[in-house]
Amino acid sequence: MTTVVSRVGESGPRPEPLAANDPLFAALTLTESAEVDAPAEAAYALVADVTRIGELSPECVKAEWVGEGVFEGTNRVAYGDDEYLWVRPCTVVADEPGRRWAYVVGDRFDGTPATRWEYAFEDVGGGRTRVTQTFTHLPDGLSGLRSQADADPANAAVVAARTEALRDGMRATLAAMRAVLQSSSA
């Protein structure tokens, strides 16, 4: 197995995003929700503890605080015999206990925000909470996906495949959250 690791600042200067792809990425937002048998404060506490992300996400395998409101996230995907790891800076941009928690992920070039992840917590009664996870690609964010799409604009399949993988990962994360929260309240 070959492992490729990517860290911020190792990819050279930040290129200019391909303007033709701006509308596609400006519109790229995915949302998934799940109800859990736990109060909103407990769901928020689980999400806001980034050191537990490896228990929840199928892709983000580790996160650790590196400063006030800033953590470093390590993601992993495998394609056949190859494993790709990328480590990116993440900055908390919304922190409302029991209501909302969000962060932006920096790009591989200089850490400029590329994507935003948000969790909203809604009390639906009876000790249950609806957790809504939203992924937003920032219009000029240079994520790995944007870099691939800019390099080969005729290949729409790369965006479709990654969008589906992100949606599957969001569903898996919410299911894992439900399992953790419900087992801790039992």
Side-chain angles (χ1 to χ4, degrees):
M1 175 178 272
T2 301
T3 300
V4 177
V5 179
S6 167
R7 294 185 179 278
V8 171
E10 297 177 346
S11 296
R14 187 175 194 272
E16 191 65 33
L18 183 65
N21 279 334
D22 286 352
L24 172 66
F25 286 94
L28 184 51
T29 297
L30 306 171
T31 300
E32 292 289 333
S33 295
E35 286 191 16
V36 298
D37 287 325
E41 293 77 14
Y44 160 85
L46 178 61
V47 168
D49 182 357
V50 300
T51 64
R52 296 188 68 187
I53 199 164
E55 296 174 50
L56 307 174
S57 172
E59 187 171 289
C60 189
V61 296
K62 180 175 104 173
E64 55 192 13
W65 292 107
V66 295
E68 184 68 31
V70 179
F71 62 97
E72 193 172 73
T74 302
N75 285 25
R76 177 194 173 276
V77 294
Y79 295 110
D81 290 337
D82 296 325
E83 172 184 60
Y84 296 91
L85 295 171
W86 62 98
V87 182
R88 299 291 182 263
C90 303
T91 304
V92 175
V93 294
D95 188 1
E96 300 171 35
R99 296 195 42 204
R100 185 168 67 114
W101 195 75
Y103 61 94
V104 293
V105 179
D107 69 24
R108 74 183 68 207
F109 302 101
D110 61 6
T112 297
T115 61
R116 176 185 169 102
W117 290 89
E118 181 168 332
Y119 293 84
F121 310 96
E122 178 187 356
D123 183 339
V124 294
R128 293 181 59 79
T129 300
R130 178 176 300 109
V131 180
T132 301
Q133 182 183 32
T134 302
F135 165 84
T136 303
H137 199 289
L138 301 177
D140 62 349
L142 286 178
S143 65
L145 175 60
R146 176 69 187 251
S147 294
Q148 284 181 298
D150 285 1
D152 187 4
N155 186 359
V158 69
V159 175
R162 182 65 177 142
T163 299
E164 192 56 36
L166 284 167
R167 189 174 296 285
D168 289 346
M170 292 167 73
R171 290 176 183 146
T173 298
L174 290 168
M177 285 180 63
R178 180 185 300 119
V180 167
L181 290 165
Q182 292 179 179
S183 71
S184 65
S185 68

